[in-house]
């Protein structure tokens, strides 16, 4: 508005020139900045969103990869219906919730305690922090095989050696408690991430406040859970959200440790999609399962986000 | 009077000693926990220096040898997978950054049609980060099989770029947002084009942030398993797939397993440790500002 007024006060010929110029400037600025966005958007859309749309389309057709002679036909919701009425699906869904939920809860709680411990000022604390952070950067298949062969193995692993020394019959944890083993490894691998973020939050709390706490005679429990925890609720929120995103798609660790077994007792939804795609060749069914998985994941993240946001406000 | 003063100093001294003892105990507890937590990785490092016979029974005392490492590094399959991993990391990280930096720049400093559209596009990228890889598996699996992209590293590379560009946008967005906006306005008035603003000003100023974003993406690609396992054949698979092959063996190749996993883990561990500060900043900033 102001610009137009000042332009109107100037002589006629310069006004036209200026108006022209500002119009050109405006236009070029408005539209050229999209140039920076388009390559990124196109690549991301083609490699992630388009395949997801195709997956959704696949989920409505009947298509067996190993039988090209059978025509692909539209089959409505029958692929979805197939899973919704199979008890196997509900069992695997429950297992996914169980594994992810327990891991997430323990990661947050134990991660918070560890972060409190690492927030202390002792010599060479950075070495301890670095060591605890380590497992987070280890590829999941490697950590799976390391734990399986050097720790859990009943004859060659540390567990086997200890039980022999103590004269206890070793239990094959991987066959008898597959879900427990997976939860343990998930926690080992992902808790460092929680520690990292929560520790950053704890270190952001001002020194003055801590000193006030000590002066006012606040005891440890009150200080930790009533003062420090609410102060870092933002960090807790971020850690839980991202932890959920990471944990729910974890696949390699399950494949190398239990391979989903025994039976299907340690399958999770991503593992089930992999199985449907690679072994049963039912494209439509695999598609329906993938869509269900994605929708459940996004809904869960949304609910969690809203819940935590509500509480933190 | 004298007596009193002495008792006060005594009390002070004993308090000081108590504080030191408390701190020592705390330090010991912290170190014990840290070393126990790290133990599986530590033991793997050590076992790589054993021979197969030594590695059968768990022990921490042995005479180190480089024999196993030599054996592992002379295995052509291992070398092939290692090369594939390095190729994916370099190209995947590089291209994701090349695509992500301009997007982040335009979202922070660019003039788009309305203010909300930048927020909407940003949110779209964030949603893509949340998309689990199973969502894209089936079409890519079928297409790659038909086009014979499974034996070609380009197939996997494309998928990695698609999944990591949003991550680059997210992380770099938070670093660009930290830069003062005024200097860009001043540069614009002085006749500096958008492109120059990005190349000469924004990128050098946010250099450390961009490097750390690159490190985080590199670790992601190096460790990624699901897509690599399902979308590649033997000639183009990466190290996580190689490691997954050890799942069938029962304690017979502990030394070889340890040496191979050390080689697979070490680069990610070092890059990860280097990027940890930026990881916290990028993740918390990005998510809190939503």
């Amino acid at each position: 508005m102001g610009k137009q007024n000042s332009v109107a006060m100037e002589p006629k010929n310069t006004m036209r020139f200026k108006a022209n110029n500002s119009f050109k400037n405006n236009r070029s600025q408005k539209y050229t900045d999209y140039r920076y966005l388009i390559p990124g958007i196109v690549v991301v859309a083609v490699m992630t969103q388009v395949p997801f749309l195709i997956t959704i389309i696949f989920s409505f057709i009947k298509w067996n990869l190993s039988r090209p002679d059978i025509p692909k036909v539209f089959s409505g919701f029958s692929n979805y219906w197939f899973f919704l009425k199979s008890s196997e699906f509900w069992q695997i869904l429950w297992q996914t919730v169980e594994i992810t939920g327990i891991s997430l809860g323990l990661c947050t709680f134990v991660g918070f305690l560890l972060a409190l411990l690492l927030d202390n000022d002792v010599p060479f604390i950075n070495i301890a922090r670095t060591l605890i952070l380590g497992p987070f950067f280890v590829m999941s298949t490697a950590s799976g095989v390391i734990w399986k062969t050097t720790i859990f193995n009943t004859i060659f692993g540390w567990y086997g050696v200890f039980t022999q020394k103590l004269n206890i019959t070793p239990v094959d944890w991987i066959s008898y408690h597959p879900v427990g083993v997976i939860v343990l490894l998930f926690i080992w691998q992902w808790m460092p991430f929680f520690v990292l973020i929560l520790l950053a939050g704890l270190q952001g709390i001002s020194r003055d406040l801590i000193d006030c706490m000590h002066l006012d005679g606040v005891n440890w429990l009150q200080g930790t859970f009533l003062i420090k925890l609410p102060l870092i609720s933002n960090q807790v929120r971020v850690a839980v959200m991202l932890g959920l995103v990471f944990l729910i798609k974890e696949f390699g660790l399950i494949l190398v440790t239990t391979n989903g077994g025994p039976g299907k007792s340690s399958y999770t939804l991503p593992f089930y999609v992999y199985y449907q795609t690679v072994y049963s060749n039912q494209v439509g069914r695999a598609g329906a399962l993938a869509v269900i998985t994605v929708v459940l994941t996004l809904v869960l993240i949304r609910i969690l986000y809203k819940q935590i946001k509500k509480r933190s406000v | 009077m004298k007596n009193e003063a002495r008792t006060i100093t005594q009390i002070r001294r004993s308090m000081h000693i108590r504080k030191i003892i408390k701190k020592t105990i705390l330090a010991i507890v912290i170190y014990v926990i840290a070393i126990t937590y790290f133990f599986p990785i530590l033991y793997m490092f050590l076992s790589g220096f054993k021979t197969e016979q030594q590695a059968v029974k768990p022990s921490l005392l042995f005479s180190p040898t480089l024999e196993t490492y030599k054996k592992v590094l002379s295995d052509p399959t291992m070398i092939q997978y290692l090369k594939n991993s390095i190729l994916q990391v370099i190209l995947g990280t590089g291209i994701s950054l090349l695509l992500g930096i301009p997007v982040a720049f335009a979202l922070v400093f660019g003039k788009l049609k309305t203010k909300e559209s930048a927020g909407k596009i940003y949110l779209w990228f964030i949603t893509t980060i949340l998309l689990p890889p199973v969502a894209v598996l089936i079409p890519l699996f079928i297409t790659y099989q038909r086009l014979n992209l499974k034996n070609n590293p380009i197939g996997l590379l494309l998928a990695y770029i698609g999944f990591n560009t949003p991550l680059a946008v997210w992380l770099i967005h938070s670093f660009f947002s930290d830069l003062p906006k005024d200097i860009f306005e001043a540069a614009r008035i002085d006749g500096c084009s958008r492109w120059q603003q990005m190349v000469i000003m924004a990128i050098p100023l946010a250099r450390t942030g961009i490097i750390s974003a690159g490190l985080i993406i590199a670790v992601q690609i190096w460790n990624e398993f699901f897509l690599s396992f399902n979308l590649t054949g033997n000639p183009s698979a990466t190290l996580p797939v190689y490691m997954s092959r050890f799942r069938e063996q029962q304690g017979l190749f502990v030394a070889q397993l340890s040496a191979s996993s050390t080689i697979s883990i070490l680069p990610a561990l070092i890059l990860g440790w280097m990027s940890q500060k930026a990881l916290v900043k990028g993740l918390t900033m990005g998510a809190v500002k939503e």
Side-chain angles (χ1 to χ4, degrees):
Chain A
M1 273 312 262
K3 209 173 195 176
Q4 272 175 2
N5 278 340
S6 72
V7 164
M9 275 194 268
E10 279 167 43
K12 226 178 182 181
N13 50 349
T14 39
M15 184 186 97
R16 190 179 294 148
F17 171 72
K18 273 222 161 166
N20 242 341
N21 201 18
S22 79
F23 172 71
K24 213 171 161 189
N25 236 341
N26 222 349
R27 200 182 118 173
S28 65
Q29 255 184 28
K30 221 171 206 170
Y31 295 106
T32 50
D33 284 349
Y34 280 96
R35 281 188 318 199
Y36 296 87
L37 298 175
I38 285 165
I41 291 179
V42 168
V43 172
V44 172
V46 168
M47 289 316 293
T48 63
Q49 318 267 326
V50 173
F52 182 50
L53 290 180
I54 298 174
T55 307
I56 296 176
I57 296 169
F58 280 171
S59 70
F60 292 108
I61 55 178
K62 202 179 160 93
W63 179 8
N64 191 333
L65 263 188
S66 59
R67 296 285 302 278
D69 50 310
I70 302 175
K72 298 163 220 165
V73 288
F74 177 77
S75 65
F77 281 94
S78 71
N79 289 322
Y80 290 94
W81 192 234
F82 172 82
F83 288 111
L84 292 181
K85 65 181 185 187
S86 90
S87 61
E88 194 178 270
F89 167 77
W90 291 105
Q91 192 206 327
I92 289 168
L93 179 63
W94 170 241
Q95 279 161 206
T96 314
V97 173
E98 197 183 4
I99 291 175
T100 324
I102 296 175
S103 313
L104 210 55
L106 284 174
C107 273
T108 317
F109 184 67
V110 185
F112 178 60
L113 294 183
L114 260 184
L116 282 173
L117 204 59
L118 290 174
D119 192 27
N120 283 300
D121 193 25
V122 300
F124 304 113
I125 187 72
N126 275 331
I127 296 179
R129 286 178 190 157
T130 308
L131 286 181
I132 287 195
L133 190 57
F136 178 55
F137 300 116
V138 172
M139 56 178 71
S140 57
T141 49
S143 64
V145 287
I146 292 167
W147 273 85
K148 192 179 175 181
T149 46
T150 66
I151 312 268
F152 282 129
N153 195 295
T154 48
I155 303 159
F156 307 111
W158 283 96
Y159 171 68
V161 169
F162 277 122
T163 48
Q164 275 164 26
K165 283 240 168 83
L166 299 171
N167 266 328
I168 310 168
T169 338
V171 183
D172 187 3
W173 288 91
I174 290 172
S175 317
Y176 288 98
H177 305 282
V179 172
V181 167
I182 286 173
V183 167
L184 178 72
L185 291 188
F186 272 15
I187 293 172
W188 183 70
Q189 179 133 45
W190 291 103
M191 196 165 64
F193 173 74
F194 286 71
V195 173
L196 186 70
I197 291 193
L198 298 182
L199 183 60
L202 287 175
Q203 291 183 324
I205 299 176
S206 76
R207 234 16 286 160
D208 298 350
L209 195 80
I210 309 270
D211 289 341
C212 282
M213 258 167 60
H214 289 309
L215 280 179
D216 287 346
V218 178
N219 68 29
W220 185 85
L221 268 181
Q222 288 171 329
T224 305
F225 291 100
L226 296 179
I227 298 176
K228 284 185 180 173
L229 191 59
L231 277 174
I232 62 163
S233 64
N234 251 348
Q235 276 79 7
V236 175
R237 194 178 92 202
V238 172
V240 172
M241 279 265 300
L242 293 173
L244 177 69
V245 174
F246 289 135
L247 277 169
I248 216 162
K249 64 185 180 194
E250 189 56 75
F251 168 78
L253 234 153
I254 298 176
L255 182 88
V256 297
T257 48
T258 65
N259 198 9
K264 282 183 177 153
S265 61
S266 55
Y267 267 53
T268 59
L269 284 175
F271 203 87
Y272 200 26
V273 176
Y274 149 78
Y275 173 82
Q276 289 286 341
T277 315
V278 178
Y279 289 112
S280 71
N281 284 314
Q282 296 277 5
V283 175
R285 276 184 198 166
L289 197 61
V291 173
I292 294 174
T293 309
V294 172
V295 169
L296 280 178
T297 311
L298 293 182
V299 167
L300 208 62
I301 291 170
R302 197 153 181 84
I303 292 173
L304 195 69
Y305 183 71
K306 286 214 164 148
Q307 278 285 321
I308 297 165
K309 203 168 189 186
K310 216 186 285 166
R311 208 171 300 160
S312 73
V313 163
Chain B
M1 270 311 268
K2 219 177 176 184
N3 236 347
E4 223 167 73
R6 195 188 288 158
T7 45
I8 286 174
T9 45
Q10 264 178 352
I11 288 170
R12 243 186 219 157
R13 195 173 296 154
S14 76
M15 264 175 81
H16 189 66
I17 290 172
R18 206 180 287 165
K19 222 174 190 179
I20 289 179
I21 292 174
K22 211 176 153 193
K23 216 160 209 187
T24 320
I25 294 175
L26 200 64
I28 292 170
V29 170
I30 289 174
Y31 288 127
V32 167
I33 291 177
I35 290 170
T36 317
Y37 205 76
F38 195 69
F39 179 75
I41 302 175
L42 192 70
Y43 181 62
M44 172 208 76
F45 279 138
L46 295 175
S47 298
F49 294 102
K50 291 176 178 174
T51 60
E52 287 302 345
Q53 288 79 18
Q54 286 172 327
V56 171
K57 281 282 164 190
S59 65
L60 292 173
L61 298 170
F62 61 96
S63 51
T65 156
L66 280 175
E67 204 183 300
T68 316
Y69 273 102
K70 276 182 195 151
K71 203 169 112 197
V72 168
L73 283 173
S74 61
D75 174 16
T77 331
M78 171 82 189
I79 297 296
Q80 178 66 37
Y81 281 61
L82 186 63
K83 272 187 192 159
N84 290 339
S85 271
I86 294 172
L87 181 83
Q88 294 289 348
V89 165
I90 292 175
L91 290 180
T93 311
I95 298 172
S96 301
L97 286 181
L98 277 182
L99 290 170
I101 291 173
V103 172
F105 177 77
L107 289 181
V108 176
F109 299 111
K111 288 218 171 66
L112 305 176
K113 261 185 192 156
T114 56
K115 269 244 158 110
E116 291 85 58
S117 63
K120 269 181 199 157
I121 295 168
Y122 179 60
L123 208 64
W124 180 79
F125 276 105
I126 302 274
T127 327
T128 312
I129 300 177
L130 303 182
L131 195 72
V134 288
V136 303
L137 174 69
I138 303 153
L140 294 185
F141 185 78
I142 295 169
T143 321
Y144 284 15
Q145 221 164 28
R146 298 260 154 102
L147 297 177
N148 208 12
L149 270 174
K150 278 194 125 181
N151 295 326
N152 192 327
I154 290 176
L156 187 61
L157 183 64
L158 283 173
Y160 280 167
I161 294 168
F163 270 99
N164 285 299
T165 303
L167 196 61
V169 171
W170 187 27
L171 293 168
I172 295 170
H173 188 277
S174 71
F175 294 113
F176 277 168
S177 304
D178 274 2
L179 301 179
K181 282 205 163 180
D182 315 355
I183 56 166
F184 288 91
E185 194 56 31
R188 192 184 65 78
I189 291 164
D190 286 347
C192 194
S193 74
R194 270 266 177 264
W195 182 257
Q196 284 171 326
Q197 285 173 33
M198 183 176 86
V199 177
I200 306 174
M201 299 172 66
I203 294 177
L205 282 173
R207 185 174 66 237
T208 41
I210 292 173
I211 292 172
S212 350
L215 291 178
I216 292 164
I217 294 170
V219 172
Q220 283 281 321
I221 295 180
W222 181 269
N223 287 346
E224 206 285 332
F225 177 67
F226 186 72
L227 293 172
S228 180
F229 183 68
N230 289 308
L231 296 180
T232 58
N234 270 332
S236 59
T238 53
L239 278 175
V241 180
Y242 181 80
M243 288 314 300
S244 74
R245 291 175 159 194
F246 284 97
R247 69 181 187 270
E248 306 297 344
Q249 295 157 356
Q250 288 283 325
L252 290 170
F253 297 97
V254 175
Q256 202 192 329
L257 161 73
S258 304
S260 326
S261 31
T262 306
I263 295 168
S264 321
I265 287 171
L266 215 52
L269 214 52
I270 294 169
L271 293 183
W273 278 333
M274 280 161 66
S275 69
Q276 52 171 299
K277 275 211 180 109
L279 187 70
V280 177
K281 188 180 172 329
L283 293 180
T284 42
M285 278 266 306
V288 171
K289 274 200 170 173
E290 244 170 60

